[in-house]
Amino acid sequence: MDFAALLLGPVLYYIRPQEWMLAIQPLKPVTLVMLMAVIGMLSRTGLDWKQYFKTPHDWLILAFCAWIVVMSPDRGETFHEVYPLLLFYLVAVQALGTLKRLTIFLTVWTLMIFALAGLGVLSTYGFDPTGGEYPTSFFKGRLALGTSIFNNPNSLGHSVVPAVLMIYFTFVWKRPIFLKIGSIPLFFVPLYCIYLTVSKGAFISGFATAVAAMTFGRPRIVQAGILIFALTSGWAAMQALPRMNEINKSKADEAIQGRVAAFSFGLETLKRSIRGFGKDTFVQNMQRYQGIRKASHSSYVQIGAEQGKGGFALFIGILYCCLRTLFTSKTRNEGEERVRRILFAIIISYMISSWMVDFAYRVAFFLCVGAIAAYHRLLLASEKSPEEEKQEETDDQLGPVPSMTISGLGPVPVVAMPTVMNQSALMQPMQGIGVLASPEPEEVEESKLPKEPGIRWNRLNWLDLILIGAMFWATVKFWAYAVVRM
């Protein structure tokens, strides 16, 4: 039930039928889906907190949500806004426990963004169930839809950007030739949708995401070739897109200078505040202190100003954990590698677009981190020896402790096994008790070889904290650089 509810998440988020289909509005589909998800999750794991918080991603997401609520001026209202996001994350982690489920979920996610782009393109040909004609005309012909979060071209364009790479890795990468050829028309819809938004930010995000995703996991020589081509011919082709010439005239562009004011205000707030103003208070505080009413136009700016140094550090820590999982994991087969590349395309697209749109508290972010955390758990299980897998429910923080499975009793931990020889001796069948599983000493040693697939990192250490601090510092430096250059 929780997996079925999770599959409905991208449908309700991207297509948003609850906003333009009057017949289903009284049913409150979002509430029903959340209820299904919670019931399914509880029936799967119960209230065992060790099942919910096993990885650094889990703890940082929990800390981030708690920080948002505690530091908000209206904690009750903020809690009601934040707890659904945490629930979606927890459901994603619990429901996506197998490679098959992860693959299905990411395929549905890809198809839903494709459907969103299709709704945008079809609205220009008269099929407009969402009522996108008004926002499109308001933005002088730039494509938008009549839903709450896609009612402006920038939001729509940036939301569709990852679909291009997701389609490539889902239907083209290492697929049979007939599937590759048949998938070519799929690229037209999201690319044309992004083009119709005439969003400079979406163009840049799409370009940077494509370069990052296509170089990810490739040999160094191939990476160098892609980068050289992208920075020469690729960037030259980008200049031919609509409105891209305005980048060179940013100092005279009123819209860009408005963003500069928002970026400057957010940076000043971050530098002087530990806790920030509180969730969804950027606009009113900028009007209060700067005298102008302007949105943040960036997830980094929004979180930095609203959550201060503490919340911003947690946000950067979450992104770091996602990248570390995807960069350091070793996959066993093409299926796991495909999932890894799709997840990388989604998270890198979010990180790049977040400099140009305020996607700070979107459900898509929590679903993406949840999927990466589920992938992390899947890889942890793939590289554990049998006795480690049985013992993980006992004490994950103390590391692997050998155990044996006894018929009728379940996993029984062996407290002291100083050597493999001792373990082998203790695992011999005892009189009156049947031992169902006892790994050979050679198998235990081979499973610990560094070349085995999986992931060996599952706890933040001092090096991780230093790297998170460096990522925090680099983000702030780039932020300050953007203010000067824009």
Side-chain angles (χ1 to χ4, degrees):
M1 182 184 292
D2 54 349
F3 182 59
L6 186 64
L7 293 181
L8 291 174
V11 178
L12 296 178
Y13 177 77
Y14 288 105
I15 309 304
R16 309 188 78 79
Q18 66 274 18
E19 294 185 2
W20 49 272
M21 295 180 65
L22 298 178
I24 70 171
Q25 288 180 357
L27 301 176
K28 297 184 178 180
V30 176
T31 303
L32 289 176
V33 167
M34 288 186 59
L35 184 61
M36 286 174 54
V38 171
I39 293 174
M41 182 176 64
L42 292 177
S43 65
R44 177 189 298 273
T45 59
L47 295 176
D48 185 2
W49 290 101
K50 292 182 180 179
Q51 295 297 320
Y52 295 113
F53 302 102
K54 287 185 174 182
T55 68
H57 317 68
D58 304 335
W59 291 107
L60 285 174
I61 281 285
L62 178 64
F64 183 56
C65 291
W67 180 279
I68 294 173
V69 173
V70 172
M71 298 303 170
S72 174
D74 189 346
R75 295 176 183 174
E77 182 179 350
T78 303
F79 174 78
H80 286 290
E81 295 173 354
V82 171
Y83 87 84
L85 302 176
L86 180 60
L87 282 179
F88 271 114
Y89 170 84
L90 293 175
V91 171
V93 171
Q94 297 301 319
L96 302 177
T98 65
L99 179 62
K100 181 179 180 180
R101 287 191 168 194
L102 263 170
T103 303
I104 293 173
F105 175 70
L106 293 176
T107 302
V108 171
W109 193 335
T110 303
L111 294 176
M112 288 305 102
I113 304 181
F114 179 86
L116 172 68
L119 284 173
V121 172
L122 289 175
S123 68
T124 64
Y125 293 93
F127 182 77
D128 187 20
T130 69
E133 181 181 1
Y134 173 74
T136 300
S137 61
F138 177 82
F139 287 101
K140 300 179 181 179
R142 296 175 59 196
L143 183 63
L145 291 176
T147 55
S148 58
I149 62 175
F150 303 121
N151 58 357
N152 71 82
N154 293 327
S155 179
L156 177 60
H158 282 279
S159 297
V160 174
V161 160
V164 180
L165 278 304
M166 293 169 76
I167 290 172
Y168 171 76
F169 289 121
T170 302
F171 300 108
V172 176
W173 185 78
K174 292 193 176 181
R175 293 293 195 186
I177 186 64
F178 69 89
L179 184 57
K180 292 180 179 180
I181 296 174
S183 302
I184 292 176
L186 296 177
F187 291 95
F188 171 79
V189 174
L191 287 172
Y192 189 46
C193 177
I194 296 170
Y195 178 82
L196 291 177
T197 63
V198 199
S199 171
K200 299 190 297 290
F203 296 158
I204 295 173
S205 177
F207 176 77
T209 300
V211 173
M214 297 307 292
T215 56
F216 180 65
R218 297 290 188 93
R220 296 293 176 84
I221 186 66
V222 177
Q223 291 177 337
I226 294 174
L227 287 174
I228 292 172
F229 176 80
L231 296 176
T232 53
S233 302
W235 185 249
M238 285 283 293
Q239 303 303 308
L241 293 172
R243 300 179 66 229
M244 285 298 292
N245 61 329
E246 296 177 6
I247 294 178
N248 299 324
K249 306 174 183 178
S250 60
K251 297 295 182 181
D253 191 315
E254 184 178 348
I256 293 180
Q257 291 310 302
R259 290 172 181 250
V260 172
F263 272 54
S264 299
F265 175 69
L267 184 60
E268 293 171 3
T269 304
L270 173 68
K271 288 181 176 179
R272 68 169 183 262
S273 175
I274 296 294
R275 59 181 297 166
F277 293 124
K279 183 177 181 292
D280 295 330
T281 60
F282 183 92
V283 176
Q284 50 265 48
N285 278 288
M286 186 169 182
Q287 186 175 25
R288 176 184 176 186
Y289 291 102
Q290 300 291 321
I292 57 175
R293 189 175 181 85
K294 197 72 178 177
S296 61
H297 292 290
S298 166
S299 301
Y300 299 102
V301 175
Q302 185 177 15
I303 293 176
E306 294 182 354
Q307 307 304 328
K309 292 187 182 72
F312 193 71
L314 291 172
F315 178 68
I316 294 298
I318 293 169
L319 297 178
Y320 168 83
C321 288
C322 292
L323 293 178
R324 168 138 193 189
T325 293
L326 297 175
F327 274 107
T328 62
S329 60
K330 296 180 180 179
T331 55
R332 295 173 295 182
N333 49 56
E334 286 184 5
E336 288 183 352
E337 183 64 21
R338 190 183 313 281
V339 166
R340 185 171 81 115
R341 290 171 183 265
I342 295 173
L343 290 172
F344 179 78
I346 298 173
I347 193 65
I348 202 68
S349 171
Y350 175 84
M351 292 176 65
I352 296 170
S353 290
S354 284
W355 283 111
M356 293 164 274
V357 286
D358 46 2
F359 284 174
Y361 312 111
R362 294 286 179 93
V363 173
F365 170 67
F366 288 83
L367 287 177
C368 176
V369 179
I372 293 174
Y375 174 75
H376 184 100
R377 293 187 184 207
L378 182 67
L379 293 178
L380 281 177
S382 74
E383 67 101 24
K384 289 181 179 179
S385 61
E387 58 269 28
E388 286 174 326
E389 291 179 353
K390 297 167 189 174
Q391 180 61 21
E392 67 178 357
E393 296 181 1
T394 303
D395 194 352
D396 186 59
Q397 296 301 321
L398 294 178
V401 180
S403 68
M404 59 184 178
T405 301
I406 301 177
S407 60
L409 296 179
V412 178
V414 179
V415 178
M417 288 187 178
T419 65
V420 174
M421 184 178 296
N422 289 342
Q423 176 183 346
S424 178
L426 289 171
M427 293 293 286
Q428 296 300 320
M430 294 181 291
Q431 184 176 2
I433 299 177
V435 180
L436 299 182
S438 55
E440 294 294 330
E442 292 80 3
E443 294 178 358
V444 175
E445 292 178 358
E446 289 178 0
S447 68
K448 295 179 180 179
L449 292 175
K451 295 182 180 180
E452 284 294 315
I455 190 166
R456 300 185 177 276
W457 169 77
N458 196 39
R459 183 186 299 180
L460 292 175
N461 53 40
W462 285 109
L463 177 59
D464 294 311
L465 296 178
I466 292 172
L467 291 175
I468 291 173
M471 191 171 171
F472 182 104
W473 176 84
T475 304
V476 174
K477 284 295 182 182
F478 181 80
W479 187 345
Y481 175 79
V483 170
V484 175
R485 292 296 297 172
M486 287 194 299

